[in-house]
């Protein structure tokens, strides 16, 4: 006992222990930085249609096996007369905006390549029910080029 008094050592009991606060702070910082990097990738690396269809892709992959049918609004291009089809990546460009009747505008516009092919309008269809497995397969093949969701947020490719 004399030795501890000689060196001035005083023991104290800290209650409640505060070590878990550092763990919570590290977890919060990791979550904040991860969210920031996912947002950067979403905003700058995904094509306009990849960004638009991402909620549909996630929903049809996760909820699809449980609910066979869900409501979606797909994007189409048309010449205003006889030809209408689903929009693909080379049909749209960013940064632009396309007003939509009865809804918020699309954050992209018809590309020059699509205009040269004879298309004049880009529109969001009214809410329509689609089979989740079929829609997911279509999105995977035509929009995401058979890349899984994890691969969309990995790598260095920016558009």
């Amino acid at each position: 006992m004399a030795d501890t008094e000689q060196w001035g050592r005083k023991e104290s009991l800290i209650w409640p222990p505060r070590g878990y606060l550092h763990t919570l702070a590290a977890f919060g910082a990791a979550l904040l930085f991860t969210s920031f990097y996912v947002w950067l990738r979403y905003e700058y690396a995904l094509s306009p249609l990849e960004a638009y269809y991402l909620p549909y892709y996630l929903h049809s992959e996760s909820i699809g096996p449980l609910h066979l049918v869900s409501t979606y609004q797909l994007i189409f291009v048309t010449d205003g007369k006889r030809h209408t089809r689903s929009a693909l990546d080379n049909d749209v460009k960013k940064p632009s905006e396309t007003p939509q009747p009865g809804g918020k505008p699309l954050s992209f516009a018809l590309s020059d390549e699509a205009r040269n092919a004879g298309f004049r309008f880009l529109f969001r269809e009214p809410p329509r029910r689609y089979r989740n497995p079929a829609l997911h397969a279509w999105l995977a093949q035509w929009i995401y080029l058979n890349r899984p969701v994890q691969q969309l947020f990995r790598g260095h490719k920016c558009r």
Side-chain angles (χ1 to χ4, degrees), residues 78-154:
T78 184
D79 62 0
K81 296 176 185 169
R82 303 180 77 192
H83 297 97
T84 300
R85 66 168 173 80
S86 298
L88 300 175
D89 270 337
N90 58 351
D91 296 327
V92 298
K93 67 178 179 179
K94 201 173 185 179
S96 293
E97 198 171 84
T98 304
Q100 297 294 296
K104 73 177 199 175
L106 296 173
S107 62
F108 43 85
L110 200 59
S111 70
D112 295 332
E113 185 178 328
R115 286 188 194 284
N116 292 340
F119 294 105
R120 294 179 42 209
F121 303 107
L122 181 68
F123 68 95
R124 181 189 305 118
E125 72 174 334
R128 183 173 166 200
R129 296 174 59 81
Y130 288 95
R131 293 182 52 80
N132 283 317
L135 179 69
H136 185 76
W138 183 83
L139 289 172
Q141 182 176 356
W142 292 102
I143 303 299
Y144 295 103
L145 307 175
N146 293 319
R147 291 180 294 166
V149 174
Q150 303 89 332
Q151 194 177 14
L152 295 176
F153 293 96
R154 198 180 305 151

